[in-house]
């Protein structure tokens, strides 16, 4: 191959492109030694099995067919298995007088009755199949023995049908059978009259405006409710509670759906004492609700502070938020206590250090991502349910505070009450994350019609007003679910967010800001009046006309803009110093305003900008409309006349003045017009250097650590507008001031700081 | 509370700080209604159980104690369970004539022998315990029945000891017992003489320089080898192969460790045919190695192209790399076929879209992260083993190409042969990701002493030289493991990397570049000579002295720098156009140089910079040492003399010339000295605008898509130095050219492009 220059390389591409269109199919090279054909266990048909060592389908021996797993071979129907050598099996047909194969496949027997399809004996219901005697010897003819269901035996056949074992406790009273009017449900015999079988197994998907008759509910709703009510079966009560949670805790006039049944049982327990001294938590039942008295939410969330104090620095440094969750599966079984975090509520993937930043007090955390529906169906075949608590510590006597939860999708008689004001909120306790089970309509293993995924989890901490001790109110967890109809699992995605927020009542700060603006605006008014008066005196006009008014308004606009600017910079500096520095945050007493609370600040900055723009335009107009007259009083140079005059009068001829000096000075004066004390390029470069290179912009992040260098592996919260504004204005003013004044001492200290 | 101004707020903090030091302990507020005490199931002592509904410890009834799970209560030893009401159990002591409780706990019997510690009957080994007759009626006295181990029964007691079942196939020949000299291992009876029991169950951790007697190997090495050799048990053979893989595929002179035993069985199968027409893949055995002939790696990796063609655009667009892995667990069971990606080899967490970018052909992928050891121990209690294949497609007749693997940690008789040259490479097949099992010394559930984690997985695709069809050689997967000694699982982390690289033989391109530089350097030499000659003529010196030589060298330095610059910019443009644009990449024929191959380029750029610096310093020196004389030939203004001369000669007096014109012109000339056609600020701003705002810098990423806007959710590969250099030089030159020439037509088109 010639190594040509570029043009020949280009021309070389022409021919192969044509040949490309001709060779569309894949060549299998004959000398490709290592290519194999793909086979999976389901690809191997009836008389072959999937050989796991060669990853291919291999024929079974004679009279054999593949097992249910497909990974080995078993004997055909009517053939018994013999071990002839160590490595493989042989199948021998059963003799005609013993045509059935015994259950383990290693012998033949005569059957008392008929043979099943698999060529084994079968017995009537309630009987067990006996093929060997008690010592293990094979019988010639198998027997069907009936299990004695009456006292004192009380036995029924076991699952494999080969032994009699004691029947379930609920069947004891009726000789191990469950006959009407008793109801057989979920493997239990429910006495008649305890609970009506008319239950509503539908799950309502309000966002999609339809309901699904869930297979799980059809199978388990009645049995769980009955077992909970009649037998006080703890697991069944949890399962019933879980079904109510899957239906979004929603009450309606229908009292036979999951939450209606739960509520029925809840009210029936009213006479008994409540658990753990909490009146909403009844014996044997899960704690699902906080009660529906109006205003209860406010009392729960804003009355008693949490008995731990958060502190950013010092001996009592305490910035870890430990949330524990009691985890239940959908059947109601208690699994374990689990730390809330990456494994449960934080669905977005990420490294441990990033995800644990969410539980560092003071760091405003938010993480969003898109999850693929196919992956969710894979990873969450059944939902898990979490009761979340805040760990208060305490060593041996460790205490927990239950976390009130607000489910936005919750309905109360058809109203989304949690989207209304706090007075109407109906707090609850239990949450799940991904529910792919309740949307399955035909059976619990079919593809679901709808899945429900948590689209937003927000944990909000509110600082007690005017606290000096870093006290917070009980945090609130707000959960929003999204109903996703299944159309194409490989392309659908769901967006989910996990956020932790910190809030403080900003009314005091707002009042202080407004007062400052009011006072300084009054002072600015007086100052503008004075300026207008002096301007009038300079133009020597006694009339107060429209022009005077306009001048006054423009002066006032400029001064008011200065007022707004001063107040906003002061506010930014206040937050910067008091939120981030050492002294003030020994105990948490100040929290940044939330983005929603920053709107007023943004308005002030906007006003300052607009008013200053007005003043600036006016000044520009004034400058543009100025006429400048340049007068140069140059003296002509007197030159002595060399010629001696004959006549008596000495005459001096003045040399004319050349215009060049005037031109020179006018040119230089013109050039001076645009000289500035502050070099824009240096200003911008210096400010950017401080902000981006030295990392001062990281002082404006929403967490309480004044760290300049942040690694990319860690979590960095979002920026706060107020802090950014305060920081950049302060830097800009300082650097501008240094250029204007240029004090040598301060310059030296500036350099030392930079180094 | 007074809303004070800032100074009072500061002073307000003084007193509380003092009180803080006094209040060090946590207050429990009495009115905090909702605090509960933390209890977990292990906290509840002997006669209490963990109530899952109230999450607290509740006393069991009389004569009861907690069950093994701790979530319910059972009767004490010697007490039978009675069902008296629906919700709870009662315990009644067994009468003295029937002191033992039956196995299910619901009755009492007399024992034929002694009672166990749990108060139940026990029987000698080989006997089963019969407490009920065949119909389920409870006997008064339990019986111990012996299971007939001889033919034709061949039974032993089952696991629960209540029924006789057929014994395992390997015991058939010895009446269901395994007596010496036969060896009982792993539940099988190994005939004597088949395999020596002297096996070496140690796992070698070469990086830490010690070996561990692994509990898993102690339990399973002999039994797996024997079952594989004697019974051709497929699962046992896979388990043995897995143990060899856990020992890093390493052969040594010791032939009784895992790989030694595997090799023994491998050689004993030589007579039988190999599987799938691959001579290294023997019947019943997993395919672990490619063979140890020298140079085999070169033949496998660089002879036959893979029979699929990758194309970036057009009808035959094919950019997906599909890797399939056959997954085995550590016991040797085949689990499933699995797509390689997020669930197995890509250990770093990330969203689906980012992680699937790794398998888009042409995108240079690299992802690193730190994994916490505690999380690894949790998520990977046992390792999984992967045989990786490349999916060649083919619809019904789907083909797979095995992926050769290079394990850096592999030793051959003590040498790390895979770190040597390709001639000595010993390719293998099977990999695992996290092994926390082999380092467990005392038992398989104790904490491991060492764990082995994959620290780097690199899949490399090499383009066939001079291909027009986008053909690649079989890809190579290079795996490096890291041995992590367990000291503190909560703080230890392991760094892991997953990378996919694309390589092309860069010799041709290098030759072309070198040729271009050689030719143009020759031309530059001649040009510099000409310049030196003309300079000599201007200074009118006929001597060839040191100064001439110096001048020549400096001229040549400048011209050579131009040559290097032109060649490097040309190279950068070449890669930019031919890698990223439409026409040339219909089929993949050009791949970027790897970072390692870019060194030569960086050297050239460095040379250009250095030589240009020399020329620049010389020019600066010349300019600084220039003396400029300014001569202004101003004519004096002739002024007619007003006075009329008496005498005859008319005398004209010349007016003196003022110096102002000279000053003026000199001043302006001085100012012109620093005027440039190219404004630096505009140049920098325009180039940055194109690169960062419009996103042209994304053309320099290592993937074949010329997309300017990249979302932050997607994966962005690293930058290529050559492309960055080519892109920025081109932009800089274009914008500089526009400023110098300022052609109006081009300007209009430039604006339209920007918009």
């Amino acid at each position: 191959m010639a190594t040509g220059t570029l043009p020949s390389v280009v021309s070389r591409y022409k021919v192969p492109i044509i040949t490309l269109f001709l060779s569309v199919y894949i060549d299998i090279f004959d000398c490709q030694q290592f290519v194999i054909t793909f086979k999976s266990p389901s690809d191997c048909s009836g008389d072959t099995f999937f050989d796991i060592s060669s990853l291919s389908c291999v024929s079974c021996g004679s009279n054999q067919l593949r097992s249910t797993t497909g990974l080995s071979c078993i004997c055909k129907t009517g053939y018994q298995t013999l071990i002839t050598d160590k490595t493989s099996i042989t199948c021998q047909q059963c003799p005609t007088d013993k045509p059935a194969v015994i259950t383990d496949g290693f012998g033949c027997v005569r059957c008392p009755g008929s043979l099943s399809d698999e060529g084994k004996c079968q017995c009537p219901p309630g009987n067990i199949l006996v093929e060997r005697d008690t010592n293990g010897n094979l019988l010639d003819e198998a027997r069907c023995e009936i299990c004695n269901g009456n006292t004192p035996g009380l036995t029924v056949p076991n699952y494999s049908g080969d032994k009699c074992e004691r029947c379930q406790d609920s069947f004891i009273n009726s000789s191990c059978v469950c006959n009407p009017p008793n109801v057989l449900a979920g493997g239990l015999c429910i006495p008649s009259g305890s609970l009506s079988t008319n239950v509503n197994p539908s799950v309502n998907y309000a966002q999609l405006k339809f309901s699904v008759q869930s297979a799980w509910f059809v199978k388990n709703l009645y049995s769980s409710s009955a077992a909970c009510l009649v037998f006080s079966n703890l697991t069944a009560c949890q399962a019933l509670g879980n079904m109510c949670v899957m239906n979004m805790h929603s009450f309606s006039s229908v009292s036979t759906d999951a939450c209606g049944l739960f509520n029925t049982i809840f009210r029936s327990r009213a006479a008994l004492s409540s658990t753990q001294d909490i009146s909403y938590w009844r014996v044997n039942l899960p704690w699902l609700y906080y009660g529906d008295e109006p205003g209860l939410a406010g009392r729960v969330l804003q009355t008693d502070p949490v008995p731990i104090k958060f502190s950013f620095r010092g001996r009592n440094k305490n910035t870890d938020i430990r949330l524990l969750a009691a985890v239940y599966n959908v059947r109601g079984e208690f699994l374990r206590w689990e730390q809330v975090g990456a494994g449960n509520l934080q669905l977005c993937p990420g490294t441990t250090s990033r995800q644990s930043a969410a539980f560092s007090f003071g760091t405003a955390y938010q993480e969003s991502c898109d999850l693929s529906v196919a992956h969710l169906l894979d990873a969450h075949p059944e939902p898990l349910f979490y009761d979340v608590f805040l760990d208060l510590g305490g060593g041996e006597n460790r205490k927990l505070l239950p976390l009130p939860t607000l489910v936005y999708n919750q309905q109360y008689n058809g109203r989304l009450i949690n989207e209304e004001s706090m007075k109407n909120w109906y707090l609850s306790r239990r949450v799940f994350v991904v529910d792919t089970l309740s949307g399955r309509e035909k059976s619990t293993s079919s593809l679901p019609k709808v899945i429900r995924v948590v689209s937003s989890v927000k944990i909000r901490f509110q600082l007690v007003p005017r606290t000096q001790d870093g006290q917070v109110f009980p945090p609130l967890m707000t959960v929003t679910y999204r109903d996703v109809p299944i159309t194409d699992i490989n392309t659908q995605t769901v967006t989910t967010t996990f956020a932790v927020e910190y809030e403080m009542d900003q009314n005091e700060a707002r009042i202080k800001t407004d007062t400052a603006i009011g006072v300084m605006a009054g002072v600015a008014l007086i100052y503008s009046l004075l300026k207008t008066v002096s301007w009038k005196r300079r133009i020597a006009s006694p009339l107060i006309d429209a022009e005077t008014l306009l001048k006054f308004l423009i002066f006032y606009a400029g001064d008011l803009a200065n007022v707004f600017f001063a107040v906003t910079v002061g506010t930014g500096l206040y937050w910067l110093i008091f939120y981030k520095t050492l002294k003030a945050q020994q105990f948490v007493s100040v929290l940044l305003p939330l983005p929603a609370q920053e709107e007023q600040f943004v308005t002030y900055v906007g006003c300052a900008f607009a008013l200053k723009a007005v003043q600036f335009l006016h000044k520009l107009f004034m400058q543009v409309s100025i006429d400048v007259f340049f007068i140069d009083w140059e003296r002509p140079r007197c030159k002595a006349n060399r010629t001696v005059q004959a006549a008596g009068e000495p005459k001096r001829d003045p040399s004319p003045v050349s215009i060049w000096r005037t031109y020179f000075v006018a040119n230089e004066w013109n050039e001076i017009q645009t000289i500035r004390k502050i070099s824009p390029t240096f200003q911008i470069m210096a400010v950017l250097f401080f902000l981006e290179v030295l990392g001062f912009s990281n002082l404006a992040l929403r967490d309480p650590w004044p760290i300049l260098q942040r690694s990319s592996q860690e979590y960095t919260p979002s920026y706060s507008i107020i802090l950014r504004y305060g920081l950049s204005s302060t830097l800009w003013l300082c650097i501008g001031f240094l250029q204007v004044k240029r004090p040598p001492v301060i310059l030296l200290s500036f350099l030392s700081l930079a180094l």
Side-chain angles (χ1 to χ4, degrees), chain A:
Chain A
M1 295 273 179
T3 61
T5 55
L6 272 175
S8 68
V9 165
V10 171
S11 60
R12 220 174 17 169
Y13 283 83
K14 286 187 193 156
V15 174
I17 291 171
I18 300 165
T19 48
L20 288 173
F21 288 106
L22 301 173
S23 58
V24 187
Y25 41 85
I26 295 165
D27 292 298
I28 307 291
F29 282 58
D30 289 334
C31 47
Q32 184 56 271
Q33 292 179 327
F34 298 114
V35 174
I36 69 169
T37 306
F38 172 78
K39 288 283 177 209
S40 84
S42 51
D43 291 341
C44 297
S45 58
D47 59 350
T48 55
F49 74 104
F50 182 75
D51 177 1
I52 65 171
S53 61
S54 67
L55 299 170
S56 58
C57 291
V58 175
S59 290
C60 292
S62 55
N63 299 320
Q64 296 175 22
L65 38 79
R66 61 176 288 216
S67 63
T68 30
T69 58
L71 303 180
S72 59
C73 290
I74 57 175
C75 288
K76 285 203 298 206
T77 308
Y79 284 74
Q80 60 172 328
T81 314
L82 297 178
I83 308 292
T84 46
D85 66 50
K86 301 195 191 71
T87 59
S88 59
I89 61 171
T90 319
C91 297
Q92 187 189 61
Q93 188 158 24
C94 278
T96 38
D97 60 332
K98 294 185 184 178
V101 182
I102 59 175
T103 315
D104 59 29
F106 287 97
C108 299
V109 284
R110 238 180 349 260
C111 280
S114 58
L115 274 72
S116 73
D117 291 333
E118 290 91 37
K120 300 185 194 238
C121 294
Q122 50 188 17
C123 282
N127 285 38
I128 55 168
L129 176 67
V130 179
E131 293 164 334
R132 294 177 184 267
D133 65 12
T134 322
N135 297 91
N137 298 309
L138 195 54
L139 303 170
D140 288 331
E141 176 166 348
R143 291 195 321 263
C144 288
E145 301 274 358
I146 194 162
C147 285
N148 187 3
N150 300 310
T151 43
L154 294 168
T155 52
V156 283
N158 66 354
Y159 181 74
S160 27
D162 62 353
K163 199 167 187 282
C164 290
E165 63 177 19
R166 189 181 166 91
C167 59
Q168 211 275 333
D169 296 343
S170 57
F171 293 75
I172 301 293
N173 290 336
S174 48
S175 300
C176 286
V177 292
C178 196
N179 290 321
N182 294 343
V183 182
L184 175 65
L188 304 171
C189 194
I190 316 292
S192 63
S194 34
L195 190 71
S196 158
T197 51
N198 179 28
V199 295
N200 183 354
S202 66
V203 176
N204 181 31
Y205 294 96
Q207 291 175 8
L208 304 174
K209 302 184 176 28
F210 65 80
S211 299
V212 165
Q213 298 288 313
S214 172
W216 176 262
F217 281 51
V218 165
K219 204 165 95 168
N220 294 302
L221 181 56
Y222 177 76
S223 51
S224 301
S225 326
C228 180
L229 181 63
V230 178
F231 303 116
S232 294
N233 183 322
L234 299 180
T235 310
C237 294
Q238 296 294 329
L240 175 62
N242 291 346
M243 281 188 263
C244 176
V245 173
M246 284 200 271
N247 211 7
M248 296 283 101
H249 295 82
S250 299
F251 284 120
S252 64
S253 49
V254 174
S255 66
T256 51
D257 62 357
C259 293
L261 290 166
F262 180 83
N263 211 23
T264 308
I265 301 177
F266 184 81
R267 283 195 298 264
S268 77
R269 297 252 185 272
L272 305 167
S273 66
S274 46
T275 312
Q276 304 265 20
D277 292 330
I278 297 170
S279 63
Y280 313 113
W281 200 347
R282 302 279 163 91
V283 164
N284 294 337
L285 290 176
W287 178 17
L288 292 188
Y289 299 102
Y290 266 83
D292 56 356
E293 302 101 66
L296 177 66
R299 285 200 297 281
V300 169
L301 293 171
Q302 288 174 340
T303 314
D304 300 314
V306 167
I308 48 175
K309 300 186 178 74
F310 291 102
S311 159
F312 292 131
R313 279 164 269 269
R315 274 192 314 168
N316 297 329
K317 175 169 175 172
N318 175 19
T319 56
D320 283 330
I321 301 166
R322 283 177 303 277
L323 293 178
L324 274 182
V327 186
Y328 297 84
N329 69 7
V330 72
R331 284 164 203 70
E333 292 159 350
F334 173 82
L335 297 177
R336 58 190 165 262
W337 284 102
E338 203 171 81
Q339 190 96 2
V340 169
N344 33 50
L345 295 189
Q346 281 181 299
L347 279 176
C348 291
T351 58
T352 317
S353 59
R354 282 183 66 97
Q355 293 193 317
S356 58
F359 302 102
S360 172
F361 189 86
T363 304
Y365 184 89
Q366 172 144 354
E367 197 75 46
S368 262
C369 62
D370 292 335
L371 304 169
S372 106
V373 168
H375 176 251
L376 287 176
L377 284 171
D378 238 2
H380 300 87
E382 289 181 355
L384 291 175
F385 296 84
Y386 304 95
D387 285 344
V388 185
F389 296 86
L390 177 65
D391 187 354
L392 302 177
E396 279 299 311
N397 197 20
R398 198 161 154 195
K399 296 286 183 191
L400 301 176
L401 176 74
L403 217 70
T405 308
L406 194 70
V407 177
Y408 265 169
N409 306 55
Q410 184 174 342
Q411 290 193 349
Y412 193 82
N413 290 330
R415 271 166 53 213
L416 290 164
I417 48 163
N418 288 338
E419 291 184 4
E420 301 174 7
S421 72
M422 195 197 269
K423 201 164 70 66
N424 290 337
W425 284 358
Y426 198 177
L427 298 173
S428 55
R429 284 285 298 142
R430 189 166 285 194
V431 292
F432 64 90
V433 182
V434 179
D435 173 19
T436 59
L437 180 61
S438 56
R440 295 174 202 246
E441 214 167 10
K442 297 188 190 67
S443 83
T444 50
S445 52
S446 60
L447 194 68
K449 204 165 150 185
V450 195
I451 65 171
R452 234 197 279 258
V453 184
V454 67
S455 68
S456 157
V457 176
K458 198 178 346 183
I459 302 176
R460 182 205 72 182
F461 285 83
Q462 202 176 19
L463 207 63
V464 173
R466 288 181 290 273
T467 177
Q468 309 298 333
D469 293 344
Q471 286 184 325
V472 290
F473 284 131
L476 174 71
M477 181 161 71
T478 307
V479 179
T480 311
Y481 292 96
R482 181 149 159 250
D483 306 335
V484 182
I486 298 295
T487 50
D488 177 10
I489 61 174
N490 288 317
T491 56
Q492 282 182 291
T493 59
V494 187
T495 309
T496 183
T497 308
F498 183 85
V500 182
E501 292 184 349
Y502 299 87
E503 202 176 306
M504 184 175 125
D505 188 20
Q506 295 295 333
N507 276 337
E508 253 192 65
R510 203 171 297 153
I511 291 170
K512 286 189 211 171
T513 315
D514 290 345
T515 313
I517 286 182
V519 165
M520 292 172 73
V523 169
L525 185 76
I526 296 171
Y527 186 57
S528 310
L529 275 172
L530 288 174
K531 279 204 283 192
T532 317
V533 164
S534 93
W535 171 81
K536 275 189 60 55
R537 217 167 349 138
R538 273 184 285 133
I539 66 168
S541 149
L543 298 165
I544 298 179
D545 51 355
E547 198 191 358
T548 317
L549 203 60
L550 189 69
K551 260 293 187 264
F552 167 71
L553 285 176
I554 289 169
F555 284 144
Y556 191 49
D559 292 332
L560 203 60
N562 292 342
V563 164
F564 276 122
F565 181 69
V567 169
T568 48
V569 171
T571 309
L573 261 182
Y574 167 77
W575 286 113
L576 203 57
I577 293 174
F578 279 89
Y579 185 65
K580 292 261 183 185
T581 62
L582 210 67
K583 179 161 151 45
Q585 291 286 52
Q586 192 73 14
F587 276 94
V588 176
S589 55
V590 156
L591 287 176
L592 287 180
L594 293 177
Q597 293 165 323
E598 285 176 339
E599 279 180 19
Q600 192 207 33
F601 184 84
V602 173
T603 315
Y604 287 161
V605 173
C607 287
F609 181 79
L611 294 170
K612 205 56 157 175
V614 167
Q615 185 196 24
F616 170 74
L617 286 171
H618 171 256
K619 187 165 263 189
L620 188 67
F621 170 71
M622 294 302 296
Q623 286 197 338
V624 159
S625 55
I626 276 181
D627 295 320
V628 176
F629 293 92
F630 197 81
I631 302 172
D632 185 18
W633 296 102
E634 189 178 3
R635 295 248 211 111
R637 180 104 56 100
C638 284
K639 191 169 182 306
N641 209 338
R642 287 205 218 116
T643 60
V644 177
Q645 294 276 15
E649 329 137 4
K651 275 265 176 68
R652 290 254 143 90
D653 302 319
S655 22
V657 175
S658 79
I659 195 61
W660 287 111
R661 184 173 105 155
T662 311
Y663 281 164
F664 187 24
V665 179
N667 181 285
E668 291 301 309
W669 191 90
N670 196 33
E671 284 168 9
I672 296 177
Q673 294 302 298
T674 57
I675 285 181
R676 307 172 61 167
K677 262 197 168 174
I678 299 176
S679 150
T681 317
F682 175 76
Q683 179 86 352
I684 293 177
M685 288 300 159
V687 171
L688 279 180
F689 174 77
F690 271 92
L691 282 182
E692 295 297 325
V693 177
L694 292 188
F696 273 56
S697 63
N698 290 325
L699 288 179
L701 295 171
R702 296 182 148 275
D703 67 9
W705 313 113
I707 303 167
L708 296 185
Q709 297 303 332
R710 306 255 172 175
S711 101
S712 59
Q713 291 262 13
E714 291 170 17
Y715 174 77
T716 45
S718 56
Y719 283 103
S720 158
I721 294 179
I722 296 185
L723 290 184
R724 269 176 89 94
Y725 177 83
L727 182 70
S728 37
S729 327
T730 313
L731 272 176
W732 191 274
L733 290 173
C734 286
I735 292 173
F737 176 77
L738 280 172
Q739 292 191 70
V740 170
K741 293 292 170 189
R742 296 209 203 130
V745 173
I746 300 181
L747 197 67
L748 276 171
S749 64
F750 166 76
L751 283 170
S752 65
L753 190 71
L755 301 166

